[in-house]
Amino acid sequence: MQLSDKKATLSFSDGSPSVEFPVYQGTVGPDVIDIRKLYGQTGMFTYDPGFMATASCESAITYIDGDKGQLLYRGYPIDQLATSCDFLSVAYLIMNGELPTADQKKEFDDIVTHHTLVHEQMHTFLQGFRRDAHPMAVLTGLVGALSAFYHDSTDITNPHHREVSAIRLIAKMPTLVAMAYKHSLGQPIIYPKNDLSYTGNFLRMMFATPCDDYQVNDVVERALDRIFILHADHEQNASTSTVRLCGSSGTNPFAAIAAGVACLWGPAHGGANEACLNMLESIQAQGGVAKVGEFMEKVKDKNSGVRLMGFGHRVYKNYDPRAKLMQETCREVLDSLGLHNDPLFKLAMELERIALEDPYFVERKLYPNVDFYSGIVQRAIGIPTSLFTAIFALARTVGWIAQWNEMLSDPNYKIGRPRQLYTGAAVRDVK
């Protein structure tokens, strides 16, 4: 963060003295006005619902330019990382700032692989959940419970403890998600195997049984690995901000990540791809591709109550750079599994065609986002809709833990304490 030559001046119409604030520059993107002394100098706060115009922290991890449709991890464009790296290489990059050398990659892969097992008592803990519990309810509990088993890495003032916790969370999250899935089916837990890749291991833990082992399909493995990369981090979104806010109190990392999992559960955040797939299945049930035009007309009618899921994004005002990669991945998976005539994919393509040509959608910049195709890919792989958000949490854990660690390393970090504009009753007496 570099101090700019220019300053911001706040003036008042009632004749109160003007106040100057410093301006700071980032590497790229908008400058920020430093208002930390605003209350002390004016007795006022800013009002910014949703924090749409507030930079809550300084970060060097991820950068998004919504107008250009650009997403960078540590300066690298997402499309280059998704096509040239595997997930653990990207995880190393997000955590450490640089892509790993060959030796660093081998060491990092080995240490993550050898931390995939969870404490055996976690299996007992899992049995306390109903079989029909939502996987995100189970995952929130399991992640939070890790702090009860790993007391040796919860000193947040110790950088080595933070590193160990980060490795444990990244390594154990696939195991926990697979455990939640197996529990819902009433099937035995499948233990990880150290001779498989991170993503291949997860697929086996999900779909193998004691009766039949699971042979990892290379195309499916690569597709899911790409999904992990595309969801690894996304700047200061709701769940990441939740992790930072929770972690700012000094809580242990497992509790902070559990808070992120809980926030991600919301349909406006991590549940968006589930909602998108439900929309496609609903259109298919009503007549399929032949009904797409009629459906899109209903979307344009504000009184119809019909919403177009998987299009538009709060940040991207251009094409979501992850969406094109996801569309390519979707086609590869469907072709590999002999599902190239999948009706939902044909529906998705027709919806996208109309959205990119119809002036109504073009003017509103309602382009497909990453959720639009990721649900189709996961459905083709065999992942149930109820587990989509848990897959998202698995991938986003690396971003959460990197953001949490960055916050604790920042000398300016303080416990989060947003202000408010109070509009309740004034002081009054009980009579």
Side-chain angles (χ1 to χ4, degrees), residues 89-167:
S89 293
V90 173
Y92 184 96
L93 168 70
I94 289 173
M95 290 174 61
N96 298 289
E98 299 292 343
L99 286 167
T101 63
D103 288 343
Q104 289 169 335
K105 174 82 166 82
K106 183 179 184 307
E107 181 182 2
F108 186 70
D109 285 6
D110 286 347
I111 195 169
V112 169
T113 298
H114 286 87
H115 275 84
T116 50
L117 271 176
V118 297
H119 196 287
E120 196 66 15
Q121 283 186 279
M122 288 288 285
H123 296 176
T124 306
F125 181 74
L126 179 66
Q127 298 308 313
F129 292 97
R130 288 171 52 115
R131 298 284 185 195
D132 60 353
H134 194 286
M136 287 298 283
V138 178
L139 190 61
T140 304
L142 291 178
V143 174
L146 287 175
S147 60
F149 293 92
Y150 300 106
H151 302 291
D152 61 335
S153 62
T154 54
D155 180 0
I156 65 169
T157 64
N158 186 321
H160 177 67
H161 279 212
R162 298 204 299 268
E163 181 181 355
V164 171
S165 295
I167 294 297

Side-chain angles (χ1 to χ4, degrees), residues 306-326:
V306 176
R307 293 185 61 198
L308 180 62
M309 307 303 297
F311 285 77
H313 196 280
R314 185 176 181 180
V315 174
Y316 296 110
K317 305 309 176 189
N318 202 318
Y319 204 96
D320 183 341
R322 303 168 299 172
K324 182 180 179 181
L325 292 162
M326 205 68 259

Side-chain angles (χ1 to χ4, degrees), residues 288-362:
V289 173
K291 296 293 182 179
V292 169
E294 182 181 322
F295 173 82
M296 295 296 260
E297 288 303 314
K298 290 180 180 178
V299 170
K300 292 191 283 186
D301 180 2
K302 293 182 179 180
N303 298 318
S304 71
V306 176
R307 293 185 61 198
L308 180 62
M309 307 303 297
F311 285 77
H313 196 280
R314 185 176 181 180
V315 174
Y316 296 110
K317 305 309 176 189
N318 202 318
Y319 204 96
D320 183 341
R322 303 168 299 172
K324 182 180 179 181
L325 292 162
M326 205 68 259
Q327 185 201 80
E328 295 171 358
T329 300
C330 188
R331 195 184 301 276
E332 290 169 5
V333 168
L334 295 178
D335 287 345
S336 173
L337 298 178
L339 301 172
H340 42 273
N341 290 320
D342 181 81
L344 294 192
F345 183 64
K346 290 184 176 180
L347 264 180
M349 293 294 290
E350 181 63 12
L351 282 169
E352 180 177 14
R353 183 191 68 77
I354 293 174
L356 295 179
E357 294 177 358
D358 189 311
Y360 177 90
F361 299 102
V362 174

Side-chain angles (χ1 to χ4, degrees), residues 2-18:
Q2 181 179 346
L3 186 64
S4 172
D5 293 335
K6 62 184 177 183
K7 292 184 178 181
T9 301
L10 177 64
S11 59
F12 301 91
S13 59
D14 64 356
S16 299
S18 297

Side-chain angles (χ1 to χ4, degrees), residues 200-260:
N201 205 0
F202 173 66
L203 285 166
R204 181 181 173 277
M205 288 191 290
M206 283 279 292
F207 300 120
T209 69
C211 306
D212 293 297
D213 203 3
Y214 175 81
Q215 297 301 315
V216 179
N217 179 308
D218 290 343
V219 174
V220 169
E221 180 182 0
R222 200 161 51 244
L224 190 56
D225 200 72
R226 180 173 289 183
I227 287 176
F228 291 167
I229 291 172
L230 297 180
H231 289 87
D233 197 51
H234 209 240
E235 224 185 62
Q236 305 308 313
N237 53 79
S239 58
T240 299
S241 298
T242 298
V243 169
R244 280 182 172 262
L245 188 60
C246 181
S248 74
S249 72
T251 189
N252 70 77
F254 305 107
I257 300 306

